[in-house]
Amino acid sequence: MRTSLARGALLGLGLWAGMAPAAEEAGAVRAQADLAKGYCERVRGTSRAEAALELAPEVFASVGAVNAGDAMGGSDDTPLGSPKLRVTAGLGYDFVGLYRGRTLRSRAEAECRRYQALAALQSAVEHGTRLGEAAALDARARALATSLPRAEELVAQLRDDLRDGGATLEELNAVQVRLDHLRSLARDTAQAREQLALEPTPPEGQTLGALLSAFEAADDQVEVLSGGLRTAAAWRLSVRGGYDEVFDVQQDTPLFGQLTLGYNLGHLWQGRANAQAREGRRQETRDAVDGAPRRVRQLLGELRITERSEQQRLGEVSALVSDLQGQLREVEQLQTRQVRRFRDYLLLELARLQAEQAYLGAHLETLRSLLGGTGS
């Protein structure tokens, strides 16, 4: 009965440890997605507001006085005629605004892509060398959830044997110490999973190199489109037309139309300046001391060191697991009390090594998916 209760408690703890971090991780994913969504909605809304003025026509009206009509009696006092009331109203449109409006929207999309990549990179940097540890901790938790109930049963059986005189106190203490190590490892694993669940979710499904390239490409596109907007400011191709009447003056058709082409000579010097700005932005993004790209490149190097170290350790642990499994197959064929105690020790040590093996295997798999084939 005691063994069943212990197993049930351990299984319940394992289920809680698996479900609680998963729920919190889902919340972290939603929080990060909402953060990117809010930024993207802001820049898109701003660009639409600015583009609306560029894409829409202008309505204008004016009222004033002009000198019009014949000079009075040929006098030199009013050579251009007497002042007359003039009313003008109509529509105007600058066709260069089509380009500016569309470019503003394209720049907003580039800024959104840039922010999404930057948020993922910053999350990776915050995790540092612990990047990819969530899957590894999950694997270790599953391994321990499988081995701990059996370990509890072994210790409970050994207590019964101690009461019946079939085991010594030293044997019980040795097994209990190993069980305590497994319990401590399970607690540390659950705590680490809960702490990771409180942090921003690291990138998934993309290598860090791909995220870095996506960020740099989007950042460069933002500068290219900004340069295009600066260049477009040098041009003007507009058409204006509407109603234009001067009162008390004979007019057959009180309408007017006008096509205007304007060019600012400053455009002749813009090309080199825009190229300088683009190259400067690339260098700033790449070499900024506190910039995410530089820190990500450093993180890539650290993760490769971790990958090599854990690959070596996984080989060592796998060899030990195979060796212990072979020893277990041999001792299980014997039925003496001393052999059974040795088997118990082997089972508990094997449980610890299998938990470490599961952690290393899952962590290496995640690291490889994050590192991909990128260079440092």
Side-chain angles (χ1 to χ4, degrees):
M1 183 67 173
R2 181 178 61 221
T3 303
S4 300
L5 289 174
R7 184 187 301 111
L10 282 169
L11 290 176
L13 179 62
L15 288 174
W16 176 84
M19 293 173 63
E24 292 179 353
E25 286 174 5
V29 170
R30 287 193 298 271
Q32 182 172 321
D34 291 342
L35 181 63
K37 180 181 178 181
Y39 178 87
C40 291
E41 287 298 306
R42 181 179 68 81
V43 296
R44 285 168 179 161
T46 301
S47 69
R48 282 197 297 267
E50 295 174 348
L53 299 180
E54 299 288 351
L55 297 173
E58 174 192 18
V59 179
F60 63 90
S62 64
V63 178
V66 297
N67 292 330
D70 296 332
M72 297 178 59
S75 171
D76 292 337
D77 295 335
T78 56
L80 299 179
S82 59
K84 303 293 184 181
L85 180 65
R86 182 183 183 182
V87 175
T88 304
L91 292 175
Y93 192 79
D94 186 359
F95 290 99
V96 181
L98 285 171
Y99 170 80
R100 289 196 294 263
R102 292 181 178 180
T103 303
L104 284 168
R105 292 183 175 181
S106 298
R107 187 176 66 176
E109 294 302 321
E111 288 178 345
C112 177
R113 293 192 301 272
R114 177 186 182 277
Y115 183 86
Q116 290 171 337
L118 180 61
L121 291 175
Q122 288 176 335
S123 175
V125 170
E126 289 177 7
H127 280 75
T129 54
R130 296 183 299 111
L131 193 63
E133 194 177 16
L137 290 171
D138 292 344
R140 188 164 69 188
R142 288 192 296 269
L144 290 171
T146 301
S147 60
L148 268 174
R150 186 176 182 184
E152 294 281 358
E153 290 179 355
L154 289 176
V155 174
Q157 182 62 46
L158 194 57
R159 290 195 185 98
D160 293 338
D161 291 344
L162 178 64
R163 285 193 298 270
D164 297 337
T168 66
L169 184 60
E170 290 78 8
E171 291 172 341
L172 177 61
N173 289 337
V175 174
Q176 283 182 324
V177 168
R178 285 171 169 79
L179 175 60
D180 184 67
H181 289 164
L182 289 179
R183 289 171 173 169
S184 177
L185 184 59
R187 286 193 299 270
D188 292 343
T189 301
Q191 182 179 4
R193 294 174 73 197
E194 292 173 3
Q195 290 174 344
L196 277 180
L198 300 176
E199 299 178 5
T201 305
E204 295 180 358
Q206 283 186 293
T207 67
L208 289 180
L211 283 173
L212 186 58
S213 297
F215 167 77
E216 291 176 341
D219 188 68
D220 184 62
Q221 185 68 10
V222 169
E223 182 58 38
V224 169
L225 293 172
S226 297
L229 289 172
R230 292 191 293 267
T231 299
W235 294 90
R236 184 185 180 193
L237 177 60
S238 64
V239 61
R240 291 165 64 90
Y243 175 80
D244 184 12
E245 182 174 359
V246 181
F247 290 89
D248 297 331
V249 174
Q250 182 63 35
Q251 293 176 269
D252 293 336
T253 305
L255 301 174
F256 80 99
Q258 182 181 24
L259 177 65
T260 302
L261 173 62
Y263 175 72
N264 190 311
L265 294 176
H267 174 258
L268 298 174
W269 293 270
Q270 275 191 316
R272 181 176 298 178
N274 280 333
Q276 179 183 2
R278 183 180 182 185
E279 182 58 31
R281 180 161 184 157
R282 285 176 177 172
Q283 184 175 354
E284 178 188 17
T285 299
R286 182 177 60 251
D287 300 334
V289 175
D290 295 330
R294 181 168 182 170
R295 287 182 289 166
V296 167
R297 290 188 180 90
Q298 179 181 355
L299 177 60
L300 284 171
E302 294 173 353
L303 290 177
R304 287 192 176 89
I305 295 173
T306 301
E307 180 191 17
R308 290 192 295 269
S309 175
E310 292 194 350
Q311 179 62 51
Q312 180 179 359
R313 178 57 182 165
L314 179 60
E316 297 169 353
V317 171
S318 298
L320 286 172
V321 167
S322 298
D323 183 60
L324 289 183
Q325 288 174 337
Q327 293 183 44
L328 277 173
R329 285 192 294 269
E330 293 178 4
V331 301
E332 283 177 351
Q333 299 175 5
L334 305 175
Q335 299 298 322
T336 65
R337 183 179 67 83
Q338 291 80 3
V339 169
R340 287 197 300 271
R341 297 296 167 256
F342 181 62
R343 180 204 61 187
D344 294 343
Y345 302 150
L346 288 180
L347 285 172
L348 293 175
E349 185 63 17
L350 180 62
R352 183 187 67 81
L353 289 173
Q354 286 176 331
E356 184 178 2
Q357 184 183 40
Y359 175 92
L360 291 170
H363 198 207
L364 279 171
E365 182 179 355
T366 305
L367 286 179
R368 286 166 184 159
S369 68
L370 288 170
L371 292 172
T374 60
S376 59

